[in-house]
Amino acid sequence: MSADLTQIQPLYQPVQMPGEMAVFSPEVEAEIDRHLAKYRVKRSAILPLMFIVQRERGYLDAPGVSYLANRLGLRITDIWEVATFYSMLQTKPIGRFHIQVCKTLSCQLLGAQKITEHCAKKLGIKPGETTPDGKFSLSEVECLGSCGTAPMFQINFDYHENLTPEKVDQILDSLE
Ligand code: FES
């Protein structure tokens, strides 16, 4: 990596930290330190750190975002820019099972809309919503890289492919 690249730093701008900043256990801090140690530029660790904060707090809340800005030496807006770009990062509370239906071309041609509508009807929520018991959230997302087995959705970290309404029922009913 060239010296120029490793010296890229965010523009200086005083950061107004909101009142509360997330606090983590020594074990989590050590895990974060291990990730930071892998990179010559601290901001390169933004995604692994975001996943840790999300895992610990359920989503990227304001105190978690403040913590990330502080640990990475970035502006709050730098953190939000990344947090709002990736569908795997959440900026509001999310259900225990997050159903992300792919809505991109292959899935769309092979029935993604029907799958989304079936989930919505079964769960009584629209895309972007969470069931009142906090069990399920439903989202529509862009291509998840499983186009050959469309239509598909991802629930938490698991892919479910070649979906039909019947298969969706089986999957959702089997979730604890
Ligand atoms: S189009 Fe759905 S996984 Fe690629």
Side-chain angles (χ1 to χ4, degrees), residues 102-108 142-148 150 152:
C102 171
K103 64 172 183 180
T104 310
L105 189 62
S106 300
C107 289
Q108 197 61 249
E142 299 299 341
C143 182
L144 290 168
S146 188
C147 322
M152 60 80 66

Side-chain angles (χ1 to χ4, degrees), residues 7-28:
Q7 283 165 14
I8 290 173
Q9 291 296 322
L11 295 170
Y12 174 74
Q13 179 180 315
V15 174
Q16 197 103 49
M17 294 289 185
E20 197 190 339
M21 194 179 299
V23 176
F24 298 105
S25 68
E27 293 75 25
V28 172

